[in-house]
Amino acid sequence: MIGAQIGGWKAAIRRVATIEAGGSAAVATWLPASTMEPAGVETKRRLDGREVLADQIFRRTAFASGIITVGIMLAVGVFLTLRASDALRATGLSFLSTQAWSPETGTFGVAAVLFGTVSIALIALAVSLPLSLGTAMLLSEVVSGRVRGILVSLVDLMAAVPSIVFGLWGVYFLQAAIIPVSHWISVWLGWIPIFAVTDAAGQQASDASAFTSSAFIAGIVVGFMVVPTQTSIMREAFTRAPIGEREGAYALGATRWGMIRSVVLPFGKGGIIGGTMLGLGRALGETIAVYMIISPIFTINWQVLKTGTNSVSALIALRYGEASEFGLSALMAAGLVLFLLTLVINFTASSVVARSRSGAQSDG
Amino acid sequence: MADIYRTEVLPSVRTTLPGTKTEDDGPRRQVHGFTAAQRYDVFGAAAAGVALATLLFGWFAPLSGAIGWTVVAFLAFLGLYMLLIWLHSDFEEVKDRLITTLFGAAGTLLFTVLVFIVIYTLGRGTEALGHLNLFTQTMKDAGPLDGLDVGGILHAIVGTLIQISIALAITIPLGIGTAVFLNEVGGRFARFVRTISDAMTALPSIVAGLFVYAAVIQAITHERSGLAAGIAITVMMLPIVIRSADVVLRLVPQNLREASYALGSSRWQTVWQVVLPTARSGLVTSVILGTARGIGETSPVLLTSGITAAMNVNPLAGPMISLPLQVFDFVRSPEPTMVARGFGTAAVLLLLVLVLFLLARGLGGRAPGELSDRQQLAARAASLRDLKRFEARRPLVAPVVAARVGVRSEEQS
């Protein structure tokens, strides 16, 4: 019975709706075109546009530039791999473990230069990470207004300063100024193996010449070189921290540091990691400043304060001129190893940054 | 009870409309910045820290050296400052101030060092920059022992300009074309192109130089040339320009494109008349910043351009030196005059990069669609012209509407 009643209501509602629809149709203005159109000639409208000639040319040109770009870049990669394969076939896996560079006699490997590259980059990171983190926080959280604008521009400008200028500063100013510091560290922290500086007899070295051209000095210079890049990426991430959550933290009575620790740092973690790794990638590939400062050796030197280290890019700059066909192939192999290393670091960094940014959208 | 009812008759419980008030508010309350007491804490701690370090270094302890003094003074300052704050605040406040001070210290150290690097280079460069022959002569006539009044870097300046022109002639159309392809055409291949060009930003510049050395110089031309150097700079610059132009184009609002399509324009018209003009300032910035990177990079030209002391304006044959390589070549010499020339050349390079950067800031740095003052004036003039055109046409169609529009435009003017 209840069902029948509902059915009756439904029918009534439908009736009313029909009447209303009919009524409104009678009152409404009619579209002029629909009355003129002959009935029955209903062709389906095409939704996909036909390309005009200009569009075709545009699309093909854009496509072509994409192809050329990929062509150039793949050519670099493929060419490097092909030319490097000669040397890699000759040495096999020992290429990664040999500490010498004489392709003429067939004994060469990147163990020492790769160690030097990584040690310089890690020292650079130890210098640049606290500086860039602190400066990025300063720029995004502490200063404001005109001062912030000027300082942000200054950081961007510093990212464009040529590396040879940093190299000049490292050779002609920093080297002399930093030797007492190196000496001090080696005396007081010498019990940590990497900070010790010993001569051939194992005695503590105190002569100033034992501390010049070291990985430590090169690392500091490269560190200052990569700080601007890192700072601008971190600052970007910090300023994106949602304003609502910042104000929420302040409203709960947090100090500025409390707010930073609970909102900005968790939010900007991706930016910190990504910026650090991009800086690391640049530090690994840096050539000219390192080449000007270090004195090249081909053995692993664990004492980073002691004179003598090497890097892959400095090795290429040093040996390309006198290299034979096979020697060039060996240098290509070293360059390829460096490229793969920076490639892995860059991709990890950009995926970390991208992931953190996608989290930025969900402002909950 | 009676008290509650009495508030009703009080005349002061009335809201005032903003702007109708005439009396003065009194001094504005300061909501940020430091209070006087906080400022005295900083100054007092700083003075005490400096005094303590000087005392230790001068008299009490066998310490020496400017860097050591700075470190000790800073640490003493930090400790004393914490103590002063702890006297009148709680532990949270102390932590907050400590962290803020550390941020400030990091920023101060960084900016001091970076500005010092620039000033040091410019300062040591003035010796050579003072001799105007640096800009008008080449090093061909100057022997290694000649003074600064002979010889110059005109050949390196010309070489840099030629090489960067070659690189820009390839990079601008190809880089922006690829960025347009990535954003406006899209598809699976575009994603592949983006991945590859992102990967190439990781290519160390020396490896780019090595590639050109082996693939162009050894295989084809058999001599170093300006063209080879230009190609090496291109290989280095192209991914940088593509990436930044890609970001700029991605920021163009999608509804502008949709509005353009809705007006019936084709894809090419949309790109040429809507997307690229909207993103123009960002694209210019990305190209100029890429140029600044390309000009300053030494390692790709180290292997490819060759070193010469003479002027060479033909990029196809013979070595052609550029500014960063000239710096490198000068400072390899032990002669003090050569080193002075090196610093002078570095100062020229630095000033060039600075000018490019300021140019990029002046021309660009605006978000897509944001207009400069002059562009706003132009847009206003254009819409006024349109209005006049409409007015001129309207009377033929509907005189009543035209009269109304005429009245309205008079009111506006």
Side-chain angles (χ1 to χ4, degrees), chain A residues 72 75-77 79-80 83 316 320 328 332, chain B residues 166 170 203-237 299-306:
Chain A
I72 292 175
V76 177
F79 187 86
L80 272 180
R83 287 294 302 271
I316 295 173
Y320 80 100
L328 209 59
M332 294 265 180
Chain B
I166 294 171
I170 307 173
L203 184 77
S205 51
I206 186 91
V207 180
L210 189 64
F211 163 73
V212 173
Y213 179 72
V216 177
I217 294 177
Q218 282 214 323
I220 304 169
T221 62
H222 300 291
E223 69 168 341
R224 290 170 204 189
S225 63
L227 182 66
I231 294 174
I233 297 175
T234 306
V235 172
M236 194 211 86
M237 252 172 75
S299 29
V301 295
L302 176 68
L303 276 62
T304 50
S305 77

Side-chain angles (χ1 to χ4, degrees), chain B residues 46 85 114 187 203 215 323 332 342 377:
Chain B
I85 293 169
L114 290 182
L203 184 77
L323 282 173
R332 269 199 299 196
L377 281 181

Side-chain angles (χ1 to χ4, degrees), chain B residues 154-164 312 320-323:
Chain B
L154 184 65
H155 58 307
I157 296 174
V158 171
T160 285
L161 292 181
I162 291 176
Q163 289 171 13
I164 203 73
N312 176 14
M320 178 196 277
I321 203 162
S322 59
L323 282 173

Side-chain angles (χ1 to χ4, degrees), chain B residues 60 108 111 116 186 243 275 301 323 329 336 349 385 397 403:
Chain B
F60 290 170
T108 312
F111 288 117
F116 175 72
R243 190 180 231 184
V275 176
V301 295
L323 282 173
D329 190 46
L349 181 62
R385 271 202 308 280
V397 188

Side-chain angles (χ1 to χ4, degrees), chain A residues 262-341:
Chain A
S262 57
V263 177
V264 180
L265 276 183
F267 194 87
K269 206 166 29 176
I272 298 175
I273 298 172
T276 307
M277 292 185 88
L278 283 182
L280 183 66
R282 249 196 101 181
L284 287 170
E286 173 50 39
T287 309
I288 205 74
V290 175
Y291 182 46
M292 285 168 81
I293 291 169
I294 62 168
S295 65
I297 55 166
F298 289 95
T299 51
I300 289 180
N301 177 9
W302 283 99
Q303 304 177 344
V304 292
L305 297 171
K306 197 171 130 182
T307 183
T309 182
N310 216 332
S311 85
V312 175
S313 40
L315 168 79
I316 295 173
L318 191 67
R319 292 293 178 90
Y320 80 100
E322 64 211 43
S324 60
E325 190 81 356
F326 185 70
L328 209 59
S329 164
L331 288 178
M332 294 265 180
L336 188 67
V337 170
L338 178 65
F339 179 35
L340 291 178
L341 194 62

Side-chain angles (χ1 to χ4, degrees), chain A residues 51-52 54-55 58-59 61-70 72-77 79-80 83 130-135 137-139 141-142 144 149 151-166 168-169 172-173 177-178 181 184 224-225 227-228 231 255-258 260-261 278 281-282 284-288 291-292 312-314 316-317 320-321 323-325 328 331-332 335-336 338-339 342-343 346-347 350, chain B residues 32 63 67-68 92-93 95-97 99-100 102-111 113-118 120-121 124 170 173-181 184-185 189 192-193 195-208 210-211 213-215 218 224 234-235 238-239 242-243 266-269 271 289 292-293 295-299 302-304 324-325 327-328 331-333 339 342-343 346 349-350 353-354 357 361:
Chain A
E51 280 192 323
V52 295
D55 267 7
F58 161 68
R59 195 167 49 82
T61 315
F63 201 74
S65 58
I67 288 182
I68 294 172
T69 305
V70 165
I72 292 175
M73 293 170 177
L74 283 185
V76 177
F79 187 86
L80 272 180
R83 287 294 302 271
L131 282 180
S132 56
L133 198 58
T135 310
M137 279 292 178
L138 183 77
L139 293 181
E141 308 301 325
V142 182
S144 57
L151 292 182
V152 167
S153 299
L154 199 59
V155 168
D156 289 347
L157 171 64
M158 288 307 166
V161 169
S163 51
I164 189 133
V165 171
F166 281 92
L168 284 181
W169 176 76
Y172 288 94
F173 177 81
I178 209 79
V181 179
W184 189 87
F224 277 112
M225 206 183 295
V227 165
T231 306
T255 57
R256 184 193 279 144
W257 166 240
I260 289 173
R261 205 182 45 194
L278 283 182
R282 249 196 101 181
L284 287 170
E286 173 50 39
T287 309
I288 205 74
Y291 182 46
M292 285 168 81
V312 175
S313 40
I316 295 173
Y320 80 100
S324 60
E325 190 81 356
L328 209 59
L331 288 178
M332 294 265 180
L336 188 67
L338 178 65
F339 179 35
T342 51
L343 194 64
N346 263 30
F347 266 123
S350 53
Chain B
H32 57 84
L63 298 170
I67 295 176
E92 284 299 321
E93 176 81 17
K95 247 190 334 192
D96 182 50
R97 287 281 150 203
I99 297 289
T100 308
L102 287 180
F103 290 162
T108 312
L109 179 61
L110 177 66
F111 288 117
V113 169
L114 290 182
V115 170
F116 175 72
I117 290 174
V118 170
Y120 179 78
T121 310
R124 282 194 68 165
I170 307 173
L174 199 56
I176 293 185
T178 307
V180 167
F181 173 66
E184 305 301 320
V185 179
F189 182 63
F192 176 66
V193 174
T195 311
I196 293 285
S197 73
D198 274 0
M200 286 323 263
T201 53
L203 184 77
S205 51
I206 186 91
V207 180
L210 189 64
F211 163 73
Y213 179 72
Q218 282 214 323
R224 290 170 204 189
T234 306
V235 172
L238 191 57
I242 290 177
R243 190 180 231 184
S266 67
R267 184 182 271 184
W268 160 246
Q269 284 169 326
V271 169
L289 291 183
R293 279 286 296 279
I295 277 188
E297 199 68 61
T298 320
S299 29
L302 176 68
L303 276 62
T304 50
L325 192 56
V327 177
F328 182 67
V331 299
R332 269 199 299 196
S333 157
V339 174
F343 272 99
L349 181 62
L350 201 55
V353 170
L354 192 69
F357 186 82
R361 268 293 133 96

